[in-house]
Amino acid sequence: MGEEVVRNKKVVLRHYVTGFPKESDFEVVTGETVSLKVPEGSGAVLVKNLYLSCDPYMRGRMTKHEDPSYVFDFTLGSAIVGYGVVRVVHSGKPNIAEGDLFWGMTGWEEYTLIENPESLFKIKYNDLPLSYYTGLLGMPGFTADVGFHEICSPQKGEYVFVSAASGAVGQLVGQFAKLMGCYVVGSAGSDEKVELLKNKLGFEEAFNYKKETDLKAALKRYFPEGIDIYFENVGGAMLDAVLANMRMNGRIAACGMISQYNLEKPEGVHNLFYLTTKRIRMQGFLVSDHYHKYPEFEDRVAQYVREGKIFYLEDIAEGLESAPAALIGLFSGRNVGKQLVAVSRE
């Protein structure tokens, strides 16, 4: 009896991108097939992809670099790669069984052969929505936790500002700050998102940055005594305005700078001398450096969810065909909450 072979729909990058990505930069390919068994003697696992995570860092992988940074560029014609939630179909590893659920790096396709399954995280809490492992309980949630608690060293009562505050990471930073007793303000790109921040996510205040002609004055309005902690997701003009409004010994966690990703020439930042005069600590970080602490995070945040202490917004696109539009929508702020793609709910 021959092994079962099925068609494997996948999302590929057609060519490398400069400027803002477009749907036409991607293609959904349906012709290729995949075996539903791992090769004989292999330690790989074959997985069915259930949910895929759309994340801003993926923009860097769409451009060809002579010297790639912390992640490699996408390979043209192959399925693009990102975080996702998967179910094991066939395993070459004795400690991984058919039906096991994991999250980690996988292909933007229906089925993926993962050669290094030790890179995956086994999902501990099946009673919570599996989609949460693309966000709240996955890489973005852990990014928020590490960036806020480890990098920013928060204290109760401090003044916290979060940019891109309704996104996958920002919405959680704000809620972690509230749980610590901090005063939290967020910025977002629409009035709808501002209302969500204030009414659903518990931020004291929020503002639509697109309606502000002077960001420095806007921040002074919301933080008359200055900012202790800034969780940086945006860069550019927002970072400049924040530096002018920071308090002495403030901390900035540089998580991302989405305003710069599609620019061929990044914007300059003019207020960096405030780092010196105000003794500000600004630190970049990669969440992958901290994954050894993930199990404690998973336990703690799963408990927050059960106790109703965390509210989580998801924006779910249905089907692989919708994946390119969902991914590029991140860069125009089209998503409300964590953007992900449901490939299969089975």
Side-chain angles (χ1 to χ4, degrees), residues 10-220:
K10 58 179 64 179
V11 178
V12 303
L13 186 66
R14 297 177 62 203
H15 44 247
Y16 289 113
V17 177
T18 54
F20 275 82
K22 309 177 295 297
E23 279 187 66
S24 58
D25 294 326
F26 298 87
E27 186 177 6
V28 180
V29 178
T30 56
E32 295 185 22
T33 59
V34 63
S35 167
L36 293 185
K37 295 216 177 282
V38 302
E40 192 72 38
S42 163
V45 295
L46 182 80
V47 300
K48 184 178 177 70
N49 293 308
L50 306 181
Y51 295 98
L52 300 174
S53 177
C54 298
D55 296 302
Y57 82 89
M58 297 172 77
R59 172 60 189 87
R61 307 188 73 178
M62 299 175 199
T63 298
K64 185 65 177 171
H65 296 92
E66 290 299 318
D67 183 21
S69 64
Y70 64 99
V71 282
F72 289 107
D73 302 332
F74 290 136
T75 303
L76 298 184
S78 296
I80 69 171
V81 174
Y83 286 96
V85 173
V86 305
R87 191 181 73 245
V88 176
V89 174
H90 189 236
S91 172
K93 282 270 189 192
N95 60 335
I96 297 178
E98 180 183 334
D100 282 354
L101 293 162
F102 291 87
W103 73 269
M105 278 288 175
T106 189
W108 278 41
E109 55 193 345
E110 291 175 296
Y111 297 92
T112 300
L113 184 70
I114 296 179
E115 304 276 4
N116 57 333
E118 54 281 347
S119 69
L120 299 173
F121 295 84
K122 189 159 189 181
I123 288 175
K124 190 171 180 180
Y125 297 113
N126 297 354
D127 58 311
L128 299 175
L130 283 177
S131 59
Y132 278 13
Y133 281 90
T134 66
L136 171 61
L137 291 168
M139 183 275 288
F142 191 46
T143 299
D145 190 71
V146 167
F148 182 64
H149 292 112
E150 304 257 339
I151 307 299
C152 294
S153 308
Q155 302 293 319
K156 182 177 180 179
E158 288 194 308
Y159 298 98
V160 177
F161 175 54
V162 185
S163 55
S166 68
V169 175
Q171 61 172 301
L172 293 170
V173 173
Q175 292 181 82
F176 291 152
K178 289 298 300 173
L179 287 168
M180 277 210 66
C182 296
Y183 176 86
V184 188
V185 177
S187 64
S190 74
D191 292 344
E192 175 196 12
K193 292 177 181 178
V194 166
E195 289 308 307
L196 285 168
L197 290 171
K198 293 196 289 189
N199 298 331
K200 289 276 193 189
L201 299 172
F203 285 60
E204 265 87 10
E205 284 290 351
F207 64 91
N208 181 346
Y209 71 88
K210 292 179 181 175
K211 288 187 166 180
E212 299 291 344
T213 54
D214 184 337
L215 290 172
K216 180 178 171 182
L219 288 169
K220 184 71 175 172

